[in-house]
Amino acid sequence: MNVAVITGASSGMGMEFARQMDKGFKKIDEFWLIARRGEKLKALADELAHRCRVFAMDVTDKGAMDELEKTLFEKNAVVRMLINCAGYGVMGPFRKPDRQRTLGMIRLNCEALTDMTYRLLPFMAANSRIIQLASSAAFMPQPDFAVYAASKAYVHSFSRALGEELAPQGIYVTSVCPGPVDTPFFDIAEKDGTTLSVKKLAMVEPQRVVAQALRDSYLRRPVSVCTVIIKAFYVTTKAIPHGMLLKAVSALKKI
Ligand SMILES: NC(=O)c1ccc[n+]([C@@H]2O[C@H](COP(=O)([O-])OP(=O)(O)OC[C@H]3O[C@@H](n4cnc5c(N)ncnc54)[C@H](OP(=O)(O)O)[C@@H]3O)[C@@H](O)[C@H]2O)c1
């Protein structure tokens, strides 16, 4: 049985991946939708034409991950797509947010994403795809978003290296690096602070980011960057030393 596994499917970009993939991907027998809010996943499953299996689980929970792995074995599943969207961000000065929220972010964005990839890889075959939600925050260090940006730098680096390792087996990895996307992400992220308001000028709809990511994954591209502004940011962070950029950002904050 061919399956597509989508984490973070109860909201934002994960939900959008499921909706857009539902219009094609005829060779996928089941969508496996993962997030903690089961009622949201069930509502999504009812809306989709594909057969869906709902996993209302916390991906940082080892027991739940063991169960997921067991189901993969039992159903003789071949994972054609793994899309790791589950993640959150916490803005504000390093010491302001609650320590557990900060550490939980590392556990979810880095550890759980790695664990999911590790456990599902044996169920993949030639022509399978992995899509990892990194962020443009991965491109350079971000004061007042320090741990989140570091967690996404991890995802980006991990995904690019893994892509090189897996390409000879015909498994292709795409690191998706959007700027601000209009999803409920900010309800959590802005609890303890905000980053540069100028960033919000680059806000895009999830539909656009996801369509681009699916296209880039199909074309076996290792990195997916959606808009001209974020592409320009990507190039800038490669061309100019980060020390200089950090000084410029600090100056901008004082204006
Ligand atoms: N929005 C942006 O501006 C932006 C920009 C760049 C990158 N990203 C990244 O894109 C990804 C998706 O974000 P989004 O914008 O779609 O945010 P979102 O709407 O808040 O979605 C986050 C998803 O993660 C799930 N989740 C959170 N903790 C979980 C856990 N412990 N176990 C299982 N699922 C969990 C949530 O579902 P439950 O609460 O139901 O568990 C939700 O479905 C994230 O990795 C984010 O860092 C977002």
Side-chain angles (χ1 to χ4, degrees):
M1 176 171 60
N2 288 329
V3 304
V5 178
I6 307 173
T7 77
S10 64
S11 171
M13 285 186 273
M15 188 178 266
E16 184 58 28
F17 269 107
R19 284 185 171 141
Q20 289 195 20
M21 286 169 62
D22 193 42
K23 296 184 184 125
F25 292 83
K26 301 293 177 213
K27 289 185 183 154
I28 303 277
D29 300 302
E30 271 187 12
F31 285 3
W32 288 18
L33 308 174
I34 300 176
R36 291 165 303 178
R37 285 171 295 172
E39 73 288 357
K40 295 243 176 210
L41 297 178
K42 284 194 190 97
L44 176 65
D46 288 344
E47 167 196 325
L48 301 179
H50 277 80
R51 205 166 65 225
C52 295
R53 195 174 291 263
V54 164
F55 293 85
M57 60 179 266
D58 183 334
V59 292
T60 65
D61 179 342
K62 186 188 167 296
M65 290 293 283
D66 289 345
E67 278 301 311
L68 174 69
E69 213 177 339
K70 211 171 116 204
T71 313
L72 284 160
F73 269 116
E74 284 170 0
K75 299 293 167 195
N76 211 6
V78 178
V79 178
R80 289 287 166 200
M81 302 277 293
L82 164 60
I83 305 178
N84 270 315
C85 285
Y88 70 85
V90 176
M91 293 175 182
F94 173 60
R95 289 265 301 170
K96 193 160 177 219
D98 165 46
R99 189 167 57 94
Q100 286 312 325
R101 286 180 66 220
T102 298
L103 296 178
M105 183 169 53
I106 299 171
R107 270 195 296 278
L108 177 62
N109 296 3
C110 302
E111 189 180 330
L113 175 139
T114 308
D115 192 23
M116 186 66 78
T117 308
Y118 189 94
R119 289 177 188 251
L120 267 56
L121 196 50
F123 297 93
M124 294 190 176
N127 236 354
S128 289
R129 298 286 196 280
I130 301 174
I131 295 179
Q132 311 279 37
L133 259 293
S135 165
S136 63
F139 299 156
M140 64 172 277
Q142 307 233 344
D144 293 339
F145 211 11
V147 177
Y148 177 74
S151 77
K152 293 301 179 177
Y154 170 89
V155 173
H156 187 53
S157 171
F158 165 58
S159 305
R160 296 221 54 191
L162 186 68
E164 283 302 307
E165 276 188 38
L166 298 180
Q169 298 167 46
I171 299 172
Y172 303 101
V173 184
T174 301
S175 170
V176 181
C177 301
V181 188
D182 195 4
T183 71
F185 174 85
F186 291 94
D187 300 346
I188 297 172
E190 291 192 318
K191 258 190 192 154
D192 293 290
T194 182
T195 55
L196 283 176
S197 53
V198 72
K199 278 191 200 165
K200 293 250 178 95
L201 296 174
M203 183 84 89
V204 293
E205 293 303 313
Q207 288 81 352
R208 196 167 157 196
V209 175
V210 167
Q212 177 79 48
L214 286 172
R215 207 161 35 241
D216 287 332
S217 166
Y218 175 75
L219 295 171
R220 304 175 181 179
R221 289 186 178 139
V223 181
S224 180
V225 180
C226 187
T227 61
V228 173
I229 295 176
I230 302 302
K231 280 179 182 151
F233 176 58
Y234 188 29
V235 173
T236 305
T237 57
K238 282 177 173 294
I240 300 177
H242 287 177
M244 282 172 74
L245 289 173
L246 284 168
K247 288 217 163 42
V249 170
S250 296
L252 212 60
K253 278 187 178 165
K254 286 184 194 132
I255 293 172

